[in-house]
Amino acid sequence: MAATVIDGKAFAAKVRGQVAEHVTRLKEEQGITPGLAVVLVGEDPASQVYVRSKGKMTVEVGMKSVEHKLDADTSEADLLGIIEQLNSDPSIHGILVQLPLPKHLDEDLVINSIAPEKDVDGFHISNVGLLGTGQKSMVPCTPLGCLMMLRDHHGSLSGMDAVVIGRSNIVGKPMAQLLLGDSCTVTIAHSRTKDLADVVRRADIVVAAVGRPEMVPGDWIKPGATVIDVGINRLDAPEKGEGKTRLVGDVDYESCAAVAGAITPVPGGVGPMTIACLLANTLTACCRANGLAEPDGLTA
Ligand code: NDP
């Protein structure tokens, strides 16, 4: 039987709708508007596109959106100064510094200068530690989006075997922590894993976050497993015209969809959930800052 396609685009629209409703109530009942500040250093085209769409969706859900666009040669001291201002601005509840930063800036130093309670990307060392010890934290947006889709599809994940392929700080590791938090038995695979096919074949849940186009074939997938494809890879697509490209994930969609029970497509799977979770995190940060109840179903 063909796999159920987990429609991340529709699910993300639903999450943004829930965020917008909550924002409306916050404004009407508390006179509070959640605020998100995005800091972009330099002119990386992909980063510019992300920042533009983050700003647009922030406004669409009724939040205040602030953008700081800085020159590529901005000094570390100037960048830290802006973050300090945002840390102490009570109208800003979430701060995101778009990565990657230009080479002369120390990414760890910059991220760890964001107030942890405003770190809506969940990359601050305090949030990493809180997540790792099962305490209330800001959770990285992409893994949070994957978790929401898995919970929505399965209900409880307790006791399931999960394999996360990839051990990056922004996707693989926090994803594994979240699955562990939901009582999965978790294996983290990476480039040195021996017999990856065999490891993946045991999994009820496969999360692929590698950055290698279509590397997971269908014959690695246990029949009925759920496949979450985080990968975003651009391949040449001469059939669409000269210079055209197409997006593919880290799993070979056709062969995996023939075996899996459920699968996320690329595009239209995990990608749209990432910005929706950024907005959800900003709302959560705002509620926490004001001592209010957190929105149901929008946190880990
Ligand atoms: P990284 O490059 O930081 O990490 C990739 C991981 O994959 C590493 O842990 C690496 O192992 C592992 N890996 C590489 N080759 C293999 C292999 N042959 N077999 C097994 N594991 C391997 O990538 P990210 O985590 O940042 O991103 C992963 C993918 O997700 C990318 O395609 C990225 O574009 C996408 N992405 C999508 C987002 C979204 O919103 N949908 C958000 C963020 C990322 P090792 O540690 O041993 O080197």
Side-chain angles (χ1 to χ4, degrees):
M1 211 169 76
T4 301
V5 179
I6 299 178
D7 185 345
K9 202 172 162 193
F11 195 43
K14 188 173 136 194
V15 170
R16 291 198 307 275
Q18 287 172 295
V19 170
E21 273 175 33
H22 209 100
V23 169
T24 303
R25 278 204 303 281
L26 273 181
K27 286 181 181 173
E28 286 173 1
E29 294 168 14
Q30 310 285 341
I32 297 169
T33 302
L36 172 64
V38 177
V39 182
L40 172 64
V41 187
E43 272 147 31
D44 177 64
S47 294
Q48 285 181 326
V49 172
Y50 289 138
V51 167
R52 212 174 305 129
S53 77
K54 282 170 186 167
K56 183 169 164 274
M57 290 193 187
T58 304
V59 172
E60 275 172 12
V61 295
M63 293 183 184
K64 170 178 163 173
S65 167
V66 173
E67 282 176 25
H68 287 270
K69 292 188 176 156
L70 309 176
D71 293 338
D73 60 358
T74 297
S75 71
E76 202 160 81
D78 284 351
L79 176 57
L80 294 178
I82 286 170
I83 292 173
E84 195 43 53
Q85 272 174 28
L86 295 169
N87 282 343
S88 52
D89 181 343
S91 75
I92 296 297
H93 305 94
I95 303 170
L96 179 150
V97 176
Q98 184 67 43
L99 301 178
L101 288 171
K103 293 276 176 281
H104 68 285
L105 299 170
D106 179 341
E107 237 166 58
D108 287 339
L109 179 76
V110 170
I111 296 304
N112 289 323
S113 73
I114 298 171
E117 65 279 9
K118 295 190 179 188
D119 165 40
V120 281
D121 251 344
F123 297 160
H124 189 289
I125 191 76
S126 296
N127 283 314
V128 175
L130 290 167
L131 178 63
T133 49
Q135 300 180 68
K136 193 182 271 190
S137 64
M138 295 308 304
V139 177
C141 304
T142 300
L144 178 58
C146 297
L147 183 74
M148 281 187 190
M149 289 193 285
L150 283 166
R151 283 179 178 169
D152 185 65
H153 184 72
H154 286 285
S156 170
L157 308 181
S158 180
M160 296 178 86
D161 278 317
V163 169
V164 179
I165 318 176
R167 56 175 164 179
S168 72
N169 291 335
I170 63 168
V171 189
K173 284 181 196 155
M175 186 73 246
Q177 295 284 4
L178 289 172
L179 291 165
L180 195 58
D182 271 27
S183 298
C184 291
T185 302
V186 184
T187 303
I188 306 177
H190 45 78
S191 66
R192 309 292 174 90
T193 297
K194 286 185 188 151
D195 203 351
L196 183 59
D198 197 45
V199 171
V200 173
R201 267 185 209 117
R202 282 182 255 137
D204 305 307
I205 294 171
V206 180
V207 181
V210 184
R212 291 171 68 98
E214 301 174 327
M215 74 162 271
V216 177
D219 66 1
W220 290 11
I221 302 297
K222 175 169 151 179
T226 299
V227 178
I228 305 289
D229 192 352
V230 181
I232 302 177
N233 309 288
R234 203 168 275 284
L235 294 183
D236 290 338
E239 72 281 4
K240 289 166 97 184
E242 206 185 303
K244 296 282 183 197
T245 58
R246 65 189 173 100
L247 286 185
V248 298
D250 289 341
V251 310
D252 176 46
Y253 186 82
E254 293 306 326
S255 63
C256 288
V259 188
I263 188 166
T264 60
V266 177
V270 175
M273 286 299 290
T274 297
I275 296 186
C277 288
L278 172 68
L279 302 173
N281 276 351
T282 304
L283 174 61
T284 299
C286 177
C287 292
R288 287 179 186 168
N290 288 284
L292 301 168
E294 290 174 20
D296 274 345
L298 297 179
T299 53

